[in-house]
Amino acid sequence: MSTLQLFIDSTFCDAENGETTPIEYPADGSIHTRAAEASSKDAERAIAAARKEFDYGKWRQTTVGERGEILRKVASRLLAEKDTIARLETLDTGKTLAECEMDVDDVASVFNYYADQASATIGRVVDPSTPGVSSRTITEPVGVCVLITPWNYPLLQASWKVAPALLAGNSIILKPSELTPSTTHYLVKILVEEGVEPAAVQLLLGAGSNIGPTLTESPDVDMVSFTGGLETGRSIMKSASGTVKRVALELGGKNPNVIFADADLPAAIDNALTAIFLDSGQVCSAGARLIVEESIRQEVVDELVRRAQQIRVGDPFDQETETGALISAGHREKVHSYVQRAVEQGAKLLCGGQVPEGAGYFYPPTILDECDQTMDCVHDESFGPVLTVETFDGGSEAEREANAIAIANDTIYGLAGAVWTADASRAERVARQLRHGTIWINDYHPYVPQAEWGGMKQSGNGRELGPTGLAEYLEIKHIWHNIQPAKAGWFADPDNS
Ligand code: TXE
C-alpha cells in the first residue's frame, strides 16, 4: 500500500520519525492508503523552508500575471484529471462520486477565478494633486501562510485558500485534515508540475493537535487561515495572538432556513431537503434549523418526512446513491448523541435517528420536530443529517416576521441562512436583518467564486472567495515619494536662519 508523503523544502519525504497513519474509506471502514504523520520537527522544517523561500526565493519575484497563468494551468490539469481526483476524494470522505466530481469542477473554477484576478492586486494612486509627490499604495504578499483545512470538502476548502495565497505571491504551508489528505497531496503535485516554485509550497500531513501549535505560534509564520470547528478555531486564535499574526477563521454555522406561509412550498420543501441532507449534513452552511410559520408546519413537516425516508443512502460509488457516509465512527457517535439528547430534551423524532447495522459510518436522514432554542441540537453544530424544526407565529404579519428573524438570529453562529416567501419586500427586509454572512432568498446552497464567503459572530472572521478572499493574503503598503525633497522647516534652525 502506498504512503502519501510530506512535501518540505521542494522534496517529497517521509515524516522524520517514519510514522504513518492509516486513511479509512468511511463507507466500509477499510484502509485505502496511509499518510506520513508529521511531527513538530517536520513542522519546524517546513516553516524554515517557507520562510527562506519568502525572504530570499523566487515565487514572490515572479509577476502576478505569470502566477495567474500558472493557476490557469492548474485548473486545466484538475479538470483533465477529474476522474482520478474525485475517486480519491470519495475514498477519503465517503461522499458520493457524483458530488466529488462536481467539487472538482468547483475547485477548477476557483483557480480560474483567481487567475482572472491577476490584475486586481495592483495598488492605487493616493493623491495626484500634491506637487512633487508620488503617493501611492501597493500590495505585497503577507508572507508565510499556514492553511489548515477540514475533511468535509477537502480539496474545495484548500482551493479557496491556496489559489488566492499563491496568486498574491505568498509561501504556503498546507495542512489538510488527517482524515482526508489524498486530494490535497495530489494538488501539491499538480502545483509544482505546472510551475509553482516548489519551495513556495510545503505540505504537512497528520493530526493538527500534534503540529498545530508549532505552526500557529511560530514567529516565522505571518498568517493562519483555518477552516474547521469552533473549539479548534478558538485555540488557534489564542496561540496566534502571541505573535499577533493575521488569522482568518471559518468555523461553521447553525444555519436557519426560514419558510413563510406564502412561499412556493414544493420548491421550499425540496430545497429544505438539499439544505440539510446534502453530503449527509456535513456542510458548514447546512440548513440544519428549519424555522417554519406555524400555519403550514404540519404540511411542511409531513412532506419532508415522506421525502426524507426515500433518500437513498449508501455506496458512494453507486450512481443511484444520493448521499454517502459520515466521515468517521467518532463523528457518527457525536451526531447520534445529539439526536438522543434532543429526544431526552423533548424533541419529537419523526424519522431516522437509528444507527444502521453493517459496515460503514452511515446515518439516516433524521427529522426532529417540536424543537426550541433550549435544546443542544438546535444551538450546537451536530454536523450530520439532522434537521430540527422550530416554528414562529404572531398576531400580525409584522409580528410573525419579527419573531422569525429573532429565532433565526438566536445563535452564536452567523454563517448562512435562507428565507422563503413570495413577498419580495419581506424577503429583502428579512435578508437584511439576518446576521449571517450569506443569505439565500428562495434558494439554498448556491455559491460562486466571485462572491465572498464567511461568517459573522462566532462563525469566524475574514472572508474567502471574491476580491476580499484575495485581499486576505495581501498587505497594503503606502509609499510616499517626494520627488523634490525640501526641508520640513518644523523646527527652527537659528544658526542658519
Ligand atoms: O475539526 P477540527 P474536527 C465542525 C463540525 C465538526 C467539528 C469538529 O461541527 O463536528 O468541527 O471536527 C486541524 N492547531 N467542522 O474535529 O479539529 C485538523 O487537523 C491547528 C466544521 O474534525 O477543527 C484539521 O486539519 N490545527 C467545519 C482541521 O484543524 C488543528 C468543517 C479541522 O479540524 C488543531 C469540519 C490545532 N490545535 C468540521 N487541531 C467547517 N467550518 O466547514 C486540529 N487541527
Side-chain angles (χ1 to χ4, degrees), residues 464-477:
E464 300 196 279
L465 301 179
T468 317
L470 175 58
E472 295 275 344
Y473 295 97
L474 290 168
E475 291 282 12
I476 296 179
K477 183 181 278 177

Side-chain angles (χ1 to χ4, degrees), residues 491-497:
F491 295 107
D493 182 0
D495 299 339
N496 291 303
S497 58

Side-chain angles (χ1 to χ4, degrees), residues 25 33 48 60 63 113 136 195 237 248 277 310 335 337 384 413 441:
Y25 173 42
T33 190
R60 66 180 293 205
T63 66
Y113 170 73
R136 64 200 191 276
M237 204 166 185
F277 297 128
Q310 295 175 48
V335 171
S337 76
Y413 291 104
I441 297 174

Side-chain angles (χ1 to χ4, degrees), residues 283-296:
V283 183
C284 52
S285 52
R289 289 179 74 193
L290 187 73
I291 300 170
V292 60
E293 192 162 340
E294 180 59 46
S295 61
I296 54 162

Side-chain angles (χ1 to χ4, degrees), residues 32-234:
H32 75 91
T33 190
R34 298 189 72 86
E37 179 71 31
S39 69
S40 52
K41 278 203 180 131
D42 295 307
E44 281 162 11
R45 249 176 17 94
I47 294 169
R51 187 78 253 164
K52 189 166 112 213
E53 160 58 26
F54 186 76
D55 291 343
Y56 309 107
K58 298 186 196 134
W59 182 243
R60 66 180 293 205
Q61 309 300 344
T62 55
T63 66
V64 67
E66 286 168 314
R67 297 197 293 267
E69 280 317 304
I70 291 171
L71 294 193
R72 214 178 291 288
K73 287 193 211 159
V74 170
S76 303
R77 275 287 296 281
L78 288 163
L79 290 176
E81 287 161 47
K82 177 160 78 175
D83 293 352
T84 309
I85 298 169
R87 195 176 160 276
L88 288 175
E89 196 83 305
T90 292
L91 286 172
D92 275 5
T93 60
K95 216 182 331 183
T96 63
L97 185 63
E99 217 192 319
C100 292
E101 286 167 355
M102 280 163 53
D103 288 351
V104 180
D105 289 337
D106 285 357
V107 171
S109 302
V110 172
F111 276 93
N112 276 326
Y113 170 73
Y114 279 112
D116 292 342
Q117 296 300 302
S119 59
T121 60
I122 54 177
R124 70 179 199 278
V125 173
V126 173
D127 178 8
S129 66
T130 309
V133 166
S134 157
S135 166
R136 64 200 191 276
T137 61
I138 59 164
T139 54
E140 292 180 357
V142 171
V144 173
C145 301
V146 167
L147 313 177
I148 304 173
T149 51
W151 43 260
N152 57 339
Y153 286 85
L155 194 59
L156 190 64
Q157 303 285 5
S159 72
W160 291 13
K161 302 180 193 303
V162 170
L166 287 178
L167 181 72
N170 294 286
S171 277
I172 62 170
I173 302 175
L174 255 170
K175 214 306 277 168
S177 165
E178 56 273 40
L179 303 175
T180 55
S182 301
T183 51
T184 308
H185 184 271
Y186 202 95
L187 173 66
V188 166
K189 281 205 277 190
I190 290 183
L191 291 174
V192 296
E193 283 167 17
E194 293 308 324
V196 175
E197 170 56 40
V201 181
Q202 322 293 321
L203 174 69
L204 292 171
L205 306 176
S209 48
N210 291 344
I211 55 174
T214 307
L215 296 170
T216 53
E217 285 168 16
S218 169
D220 285 328
V221 169
D222 300 288
M223 173 176 179
V224 179
S225 175
F226 169 78
T227 303
L230 178 55
E231 282 312 319
T232 310
R234 284 180 180 142

